[in-house]
Amino acid sequence: MNDSFAHVSSPNDVLEDLYTIWVCAMWNERWVKHKSPAHLYKIFKKIVRLMEAAWIINTFDSLHLFHDSYRQTERYAFQQYDQHGRDCLHESQHLSHLLSENPLIDLKFALYDLTCLSLHSKQTREKINLDNFYFEAMQTVHYLIEIIFQLFKKFKNNFGGPFENRKYLKTLKKIERKNLLYRYHTKIEDFVEHRKNGESMEAIRLVEQANMQVGFWRIYRTPGDMLHYFHDFQFLIDYFSHHLTTIKGKHVAINTEWPLPETIINKIRNDGTIWMLTPWQYLDDQFAAKSRNDWQVLLERFLIETLSNKVRIRQTFNNTNNQVLVFLKNLTKLEGIVQYAPKSET
């Protein structure tokens, strides 16, 4: 909120950003008028953070704390406070009503879909139609931005006080670390079944090209598909991290070899990917070096760099991005053999 509102006198700049996504979603390839696809994606992330701020404020009734803090200040006459208090009560009630009628996850879904459309995602255009759900979601987000702007301006000097409580900080920490849009309600088998053949490696190939080829997005005009690909990468990181934790909790030996068909074993040996014989050992090494949250932070940065396509000349990956890319490649390989995991481990 401070980054978005501290130095402006109205929420108009943020609202203009919001409607930039809408306009680009309505008009094919409108995104090319902007500096890069990353520009629209950063707008999406900024607005999502403001929505989460509104949810936190409403959830913990911090407005009541601000209200009391304001009342105790001596520099305002009672009559001034009385009018101010009525305004704040109205805003808090409006905020509560909006979020009770429009769950945060639904608003995130809508804004995510619109951002994919704004970046001309083929996958999104095949699945959704712009209907009243998206129009009403845009209106709701508009109102949320206006409300939290007013609250921020009235109580910006109090944000270091009432907000510093354990429950608020704990929730904020969770939101900052949990950088995913969705809560997953699917099994890895369903995920694999609904993936098109070779889709994972095609996604990896496009990521490599976008980071190494000058002007890649002028050729490949559907950068919104990257949001889907990276969302799937996040799912794989989440899935394998969770199940590694599960089998370790069951005291299953992580160096257990999976009962793979002989044809796959021979290919693994020929490819020099012996680690695939004991996948959980490999995953344990990777998540010991970097936590799931660490990998997700690196993945988010990698997505922004991929959408930015700041390549001046053909280049190689920096060390960090190369680590992420190798990890993603190996996860997609495990995706292909996950059905052979020992039953006791799943």
Side-chain angles (χ1 to χ4, degrees), residues 21 25 48 74 84 162-163 177 182 208 212 220 247 261 310:
I21 290 179
V48 165
E74 297 178 357
H84 183 90
F163 265 102
R177 287 186 173 181
Y182 302 133
E208 289 180 311
M212 297 178 66
Y220 188 84
I247 65 163
K310 293 181 178 179

Side-chain angles (χ1 to χ4, degrees), residues 201-211 216-217 220 225-226 229 306:
M201 294 313 297
E202 173 65 11
I204 293 289
R205 184 184 68 80
L206 289 174
V207 170
E208 289 180 311
Q209 287 184 326
N211 283 274
F216 178 77
W217 296 122
Y220 188 84
D225 288 341
M226 280 294 164
Y229 295 146
T306 300

Side-chain angles (χ1 to χ4, degrees), residues 36 48 56 65 77 89 98 102 156 182 197 212 254 298 302 313 324 330 339:
S36 73
V48 165
I56 291 174
L65 296 175
L89 180 61
L98 280 176
N102 304 273
K156 61 183 177 181
Y182 302 133
N197 187 35
M212 297 178 66
I254 60 174
L298 293 176
F302 195 17
I313 57 174
V324 176
N330 289 341
Q339 67 267 33

